[in-house]
Amino acid sequence: MMQHLLTLRDLTPSQVNEILIHATELKARLRAGDRAPLLPGRVLTQVFEKPSLRTRVSFESAIGQLGGYGIFLTGKEAGLEGRESNADVARVLGGYSDVIALRTFSQELIELFAAESGCHVINALSDASHPCQALTDILTMREAFGDVTGRTLTYVGDGNNVAVSLATICAQLDITFVIASPDGYQLDESLLEDLRREYPGARLSQSADPHAAVKEADVIYTDVWASMGQESEKSAREKIFADYQCNAALMSSAPKQAKFLHCLPARRGLEVTDEVIDGPQSLAFPQAENRMHLAKGVLAWLLDAS
Ligand code: CP
Ligand code: NVA
């Protein structure tokens, strides 16, 4: 069966580890000057319905460094806005590509591509999840802490696509996941119950109190309060989330050695202050670089190159 990366829940914890190991090895090889073209001639087509800096460029750099070739199309250019059926777009692109990475609103469109394209499909962010980001975040935590088993990741902010993928990967890898969000913006309790059932022993909890939530944190994580597609809610959300800003006061409620992560893009002065994202505890920019190493790990793992 063709292997995809549609959501983290499609992967076993050991497959998650395999991807992370590939990424770590490829990062070390690049650092040592080894740019072996492991995927010569392979074609990665990216189709994005939403903006992107990190995901788009990290995947394009990744396939280029591995000796392959990257193509980028907006959803409109690909014809996803009605020029032909989405299934026909998937079938045609599948004929040219070894891998298709999609950034979409609907998770269903990603699943349709997996069903119809005949090639590997990667979720490059949907409204429902952002698996490549969460994999990158664990890669970054491993670099900071070594073994991450038993560590605590506290996410402060909106229970969005990034939070869903982080909760999932923490459940898979035995990391404690705590989320602090205002009422109405928390993760679905049913998701947490499903994860607890699927990964016995998973430690997942949510509260409305950010200061209490960060007390035992090894990592404090935040993301934008209004995700792509929620622009019309931006000013209402700024009021609702005002007490959830990652600032010096919040960091002082956490252990001193805690690290700060942000998937970026950041809205400085909203979900995070300059002093935190630019401060000594922040790993936000090494984390952003790791998107590329992780992308190489995913591509090598999917295409079984090494
Ligand atoms: N973190 C992330 O996915 O960034 P982009 O939206 O720039 O790809
Ligand atoms: N939650 C954000 C993540 C951006 C990388 C969004 O979906 O816009």
Side-chain angles (χ1 to χ4, degrees):
M1 216 181 80
M2 180 73 65
Q3 180 73 56
H4 304 292
L5 176 46
L6 310 184
T7 81
L8 289 167
R9 284 166 77 178
D10 295 338
L11 304 180
T12 63
S14 77
Q15 289 176 315
V16 168
N17 268 314
E18 282 171 26
I19 293 173
L20 291 167
I21 289 166
H22 274 73
T24 302
E25 283 176 7
L26 288 166
K27 182 172 180 177
R29 284 172 73 167
L30 182 66
R31 290 276 195 270
D34 174 1
R35 289 171 179 260
L38 301 177
L39 300 177
R42 303 298 188 100
V43 175
L44 166 71
T45 302
Q46 300 197 76
V47 180
F48 281 30
E49 295 182 317
K50 301 180 182 185
S52 173
L53 176 66
R54 281 143 289 269
T55 309
R56 174 186 176 172
V57 180
S58 64
F59 266 109
E60 202 155 324
S61 306
I63 192 72
Q65 286 190 15
L66 292 170
Y69 190 75
I71 295 167
F72 181 85
L73 297 171
T74 62
K76 187 161 191 252
E77 285 166 338
L80 294 180
E81 292 177 15
R83 185 163 180 254
E84 55 194 308
S85 82
N86 291 340
D88 287 355
V89 174
R91 292 178 192 126
V92 170
L93 287 179
Y96 309 139
S97 315
D98 297 285
V99 187
I100 300 175
L102 284 164
R103 171 165 287 201
T104 64
F105 292 91
S106 88
Q107 183 77 20
E108 290 70 31
L109 183 61
I110 298 177
E111 282 159 17
L112 176 80
F113 267 67
E116 298 295 341
S117 68
C119 70
H120 303 282
V121 173
I122 297 172
N123 175 353
L125 181 148
S126 70
D127 285 357
S129 64
H130 197 1
C132 297
Q133 183 65 54
L135 285 160
T136 302
D137 303 335
I138 302 302
L139 178 65
T140 309
M141 279 180 69
R142 282 193 178 176
E143 289 173 352
F145 300 111
D147 184 8
V148 292
T149 308
R151 294 281 179 177
T152 297
L153 187 156
T154 299
Y155 178 101
V156 178
D158 186 25
N160 61 16
N161 45 7
V162 170
V164 167
S165 291
L166 285 170
T168 307
I169 207 162
C170 286
Q172 291 174 316
L173 299 184
D174 198 20
I175 298 166
T176 303
F177 179 81
V178 180
I179 174 167
S181 324
D183 282 345
Y185 296 86
Q186 300 193 330
L187 288 172
D188 277 347
E189 206 38 63
S190 63
L191 167 77
L192 300 186
E193 278 160 26
D194 286 350
L195 290 173
R196 288 185 194 110
R197 236 190 329 272
E198 220 165 309
Y199 307 103
R203 296 176 304 282
L204 308 159
S205 61
Q206 48 188 349
S207 80
D209 180 347
H211 287 272
V214 300
K215 280 246 161 335
E216 316 264 303
D218 294 296
V219 169
I220 296 155
Y221 196 118
T222 194
D223 182 16
V224 292
W225 293 335
S227 285
M228 292 179 278
Q230 297 172 332
E231 288 76 9
S232 63
E233 298 173 36
K234 193 171 171 289
S235 56
R237 283 172 175 257
E238 283 174 21
K239 292 190 189 78
I240 293 163
F241 283 90
D243 293 338
Y244 293 81
Q245 185 182 65
C246 288
N247 52 30
L250 184 66
M251 294 304 281
S252 72
S253 292
K256 278 192 181 45
Q257 69 281 5
K259 302 294 183 195
F260 174 78
L261 296 180
H262 191 312
C263 56
L264 305 178
R267 301 280 185 270
R268 288 166 177 261
L270 294 179
E271 78 275 2
V272 63
T273 56
D274 289 343
E275 64 196 340
V276 171
I277 197 167
D278 296 330
Q281 290 165 278
S282 174
L283 295 175
F285 293 94
Q287 178 188 7
E289 182 194 314
N290 276 340
R291 289 297 309 270
M292 182 187 74
H293 304 299
L294 190 280
K296 289 169 76 174
V298 167
L299 292 169
W301 178 77
L302 273 181
L303 296 168
D304 202 24
S306 50

